Amino acid sequence: MQSVTSPPTAVRQRRPRSLPSLRALALLAAALIAAPLLSVAFNVFTPGTAGTWQHLLSTVLPDYVVATLWLCAGVGTGVALLGVGAAWLVTRYEFPLRATFEWALLLPLAMPAYVMAYAYTDLLQFVGPVQGWLRESFGWRRGDYWFPDVRSLGGATVMFSLVLYPYVYMLARTALMERAGGMIEVGRTLGLSPLQAFCRLSLPLARPAIAGGVALALMETLADYGTVSYFAVQTFTTGIYRAWFSLGDRTAAAQLAMVLLAFVVTVLALEKLSRGDSRFADSSLRSRGVLRVPLRGPRAALALLGCALPLAGGFLLPAGVMLHMALTEGDAQWGPRFYTLAGNSVLVAGATALLATALALLIAYAARVDKGAPTRWAHRIAGLGYALPGSVIAVGVLIPVTQLDHALAALLRGWGLDAGLLLSGTIAALVYACVVRYLTAALQAMDAGLARITPRMEQAARTLGHTPAQTLWRVHLPLLRGSALTAALLVFIDVMKELPATLVMRPFNFDTLATQAYTLASDERLAEASTSALAIVAVGLVPMVVLCRHIVRGSQHQSAA
């Protein structure tokens, strides 16, 4: 009996020494994630900010609010129409190239919105090929015809809708395939037309998924800087950047950041309220695939066109424009300069991916083995970063880092040393901001990986005398290699595309592919920006290929069922 009871006793003796350390590390990581938000909030309510706030209210704040509201309304409507329409076509009907469109409609996610803005500006501006062809064909001159201005609020709305609709498409497609089952067929037997069956049955079932996709798209819209800045749309993100760099007013930047954060919170609250207490479930005991209606003739052509337009507008056309510029006009940045930019991007993205994956593993595992309230809150706080726009995080990181730098400089001067600023404008500060922003992606991947590991493995390891830390290292980590690689890949791709935080926090004379593309495009040097933009798109295609293969396998499995 002694040999049987000794291992649990060893576990009880070792566990208190391991769990407090694990809990403390998780709480420390969560505190680092929450620090930027707390810093912004603290600077908003410091004494003497009333004058700045009144000045913002009387000058730029109304314009920022109106532009942001119109942009959110337009993008929300656009992504819902494109995403739900495409999802309904590929799940309900059978037409030529349907299987290809099923995964290809996700490709616009690899195209950053600011890259698309550069491509369409070159295509649709006055000296571009489209207006040039119109003038040559009809003999028109300037002032003889009207053409929409792509660099406007409407143009930005179209850009965001084309590049962000896959969020809605992906979630709505899954909801329609999983929950439709035989309900559509039952509705048809009751006399409902295809449109009535969609509006009365499919749409209510998919409403929570659609609301979630729209919320994701709106958060990406609120976080964007490159597109709205290039199109001269006055939103909160452009205002934060202008207040920090042009005016040098950190209080104004912090106050605008808090208002922008209020918009993000509002979007999340509306998404939750849209679901309310509704619950939709499939009463069948097993999943049933949707019986697609075959289309022929004009109807098949319309369905094909309905899927081809968002794919062409959101990926094929802008990628083709950038590729054409790179091949025909050349890029003076190609060569050693390009390799330096790519190296800088890989350095920041790689360091962020490694650090974010390690922190995500620590926090996710701590929440798994420690069910206490502090660890649960640490897990929730660590997942807030993705809801914070990069400009908000940049301001929240810069303010305390700058204050700490000044304090260290004063301390060193007291010792007769003049070291200058040690932390501000360094790669470490930039990586920290990116970790705060994109830790959520890594955390979700690690949570999913840990969920697939049975708790019995931990129980077996503890009966053998392993502490939670030893169990993580010897048991879980080998099983989580795939999830860790996925987490690192997701973060790496996101950081490669990241623009606002990098613009604010990059060291002096330190450019990445994203900042270089933005700088050159802002100077109307679109051909030189094409190579950097294409490199970002090419890197973004990697996770898209993995995701598309998963979509195809899932569709084949459901069809077989």
Side-chain angles (χ1 to χ4, degrees), residues 166-390:
Y167 284 118
V168 179
Y169 165 76
M170 185 165 45
L171 296 176
R173 174 193 166 277
T174 303
L176 291 173
M177 291 194 69
E178 289 181 350
R179 296 184 181 133
M183 294 182 182
I184 302 299
E185 287 73 19
V186 172
R188 294 301 305 275
T189 60
L190 296 177
L192 296 179
S193 66
L195 181 60
Q196 290 174 330
F198 171 72
C199 294
R200 296 185 182 182
L201 298 176
S202 299
L203 199 59
L205 288 172
R207 189 177 67 181
I210 295 171
V214 171
L216 288 173
L218 291 183
M219 284 194 293
E220 289 289 339
T221 302
L222 292 173
D224 180 84
Y225 173 76
T227 305
V228 292
S229 175
Y230 187 65
F231 281 2
V233 179
Q234 303 301 314
T235 63
F236 283 100
T237 306
T238 58
I240 292 169
Y241 189 84
R242 186 178 299 111
W244 186 274
F245 281 95
S246 300
L247 304 178
D249 191 342
R250 75 179 188 187
T251 301
Q255 291 177 337
L256 290 174
M258 285 302 294
V259 179
L260 177 57
L261 187 59
F263 268 87
V264 174
V265 173
T266 302
V267 168
L268 295 176
L270 289 176
E271 187 273 332
K272 186 175 181 179
L273 288 175
S274 69
R275 290 182 282 121
D277 296 328
S278 301
R279 296 293 183 269
F280 303 97
D282 191 349
S283 59
S284 61
L285 296 178
R286 63 185 181 90
S287 177
R288 178 182 174 185
V290 180
L291 297 178
R292 299 186 181 92
V293 179
L295 299 179
R296 299 289 185 271
R299 292 186 176 183
L302 288 176
L304 191 149
L305 183 63
C307 292
L309 286 179
L311 174 62
F315 182 78
L316 298 179
L317 184 59
V321 170
M322 301 303 292
L323 182 61
H324 180 266
M325 284 193 295
L327 295 178
T328 58
E329 301 182 41
D331 181 5
Q333 302 293 324
W334 180 260
R337 172 64 174 166
F338 176 82
Y339 299 138
T340 300
L341 296 172
N344 292 342
S345 297
V346 171
L347 173 62
V348 175
T352 304
L354 292 176
L355 186 56
T357 303
L359 289 177
L361 176 61
L362 171 67
I363 296 172
Y365 183 68
R368 177 185 175 96
V369 300
D370 183 11
K371 305 301 182 181
T375 309
R376 290 200 308 270
W377 277 104
H379 187 277
R380 294 174 183 174
I381 292 173
L384 292 177
Y386 196 74
L388 303 178

Side-chain angles (χ1 to χ4, degrees), residues 422-443:
L422 300 176
L423 301 176
S424 301
T426 63
I427 297 178
L430 175 59
V431 170
Y432 171 43
C434 292
V435 169
V436 174
R437 176 77 169 89
Y438 297 111
L439 179 62
T440 306
L443 191 60

